[in-house]
Amino acid sequence: MNIIVGISGGSGAIYAVALLKYLREFGATTHLVVSKMGAYVMEQECGVSLAELRDMADYYYENDDFSAPIASGSARMDGMVVAPCSMKTLASISGGLADSLLTRAADVTIKEQRKLVLLAREMPLSQIHLENMLSLAKQGVVIMPPAPPFYQHPETISDLVAEVVGRTMDQLGVPNDLVRRWGENDG
């Protein structure tokens, strides 16, 4: 599978790192694009440089490179996830503002009716945020705030992150064993 991973400037960079790791582990090919603030937040929250982040992906594209394959609907992509997805990025996608490669790739994903998953990061949510989310949800975009479940009794932050990433991969159709599935993993 070919999965586009966008990283924007919302808090939650840990989800992007784990997503790239697990997508590779489960055999998906990743196409990475990172906003300027996404790179900044990644460095601040995870201590991961843009160079290190590039090494985690199969392909990397600069956010201003509109000649990149992911800017075209003819590229064979299976889906896209933006993790984390800032409210600015979500608003740009909702409004059709394809003014960066990240938002252009999301726009293409929507127009080609491919799966787009946004790990929306903000709280509390304003009416504007909610209206943008509703507009995207009506177009088939999956709005997935990274809210991990606690019924599996997580012991570490990594346990919580793996649950969110596993559910994200489920949405993209990437088989994985990260999620403790209700009724399947019981005693």
Short mmCIF file of all heavy atoms in Angstrom, two decimals, residues 36 75 103 146 156:
data_model
loop_
_atom_site.label_atom_id
_atom_site.label_comp_id
_atom_site.label_asym_id
_atom_site.label_seq_id
_atom_site.Cartn_x
_atom_site.Cartn_y
_atom_site.Cartn_z
N LYS A 36 6.34 23.38 7.95
CA LYS A 36 7.42 24.02 8.72
C LYS A 36 7.16 23.88 10.22
O LYS A 36 8.05 23.51 10.99
CB LYS A 36 7.52 25.49 8.33
CG LYS A 36 8.62 26.25 9.03
CD LYS A 36 8.70 27.69 8.54
CE LYS A 36 9.78 28.44 9.30
NZ LYS A 36 9.89 29.83 8.85
N ALA A 75 -1.17 9.74 -9.40
CA ALA A 75 -0.28 8.93 -8.57
C ALA A 75 -1.10 7.87 -7.85
O ALA A 75 -2.19 8.15 -7.35
CB ALA A 75 0.46 9.80 -7.56
N THR A 103 -1.49 20.26 1.93
CA THR A 103 -2.92 20.50 1.70
C THR A 103 -3.34 20.13 0.29
O THR A 103 -4.47 19.72 0.06
CB THR A 103 -3.31 21.96 2.04
OG1 THR A 103 -2.49 22.86 1.29
CG2 THR A 103 -3.14 22.23 3.53
N PRO A 146 -6.99 11.99 18.34
CA PRO A 146 -6.25 10.88 18.95
C PRO A 146 -6.59 10.71 20.43
O PRO A 146 -5.87 11.15 21.31
CB PRO A 146 -4.78 11.27 18.73
CG PRO A 146 -4.79 12.75 18.54
CD PRO A 146 -6.12 13.11 17.98
N THR A 156 1.88 2.23 29.55
CA THR A 156 2.86 3.23 29.11
C THR A 156 2.22 4.17 28.09
O THR A 156 1.16 3.85 27.52
CB THR A 156 4.07 2.56 28.44
OG1 THR A 156 3.64 1.92 27.23
CG2 THR A 156 4.74 1.54 29.37
#
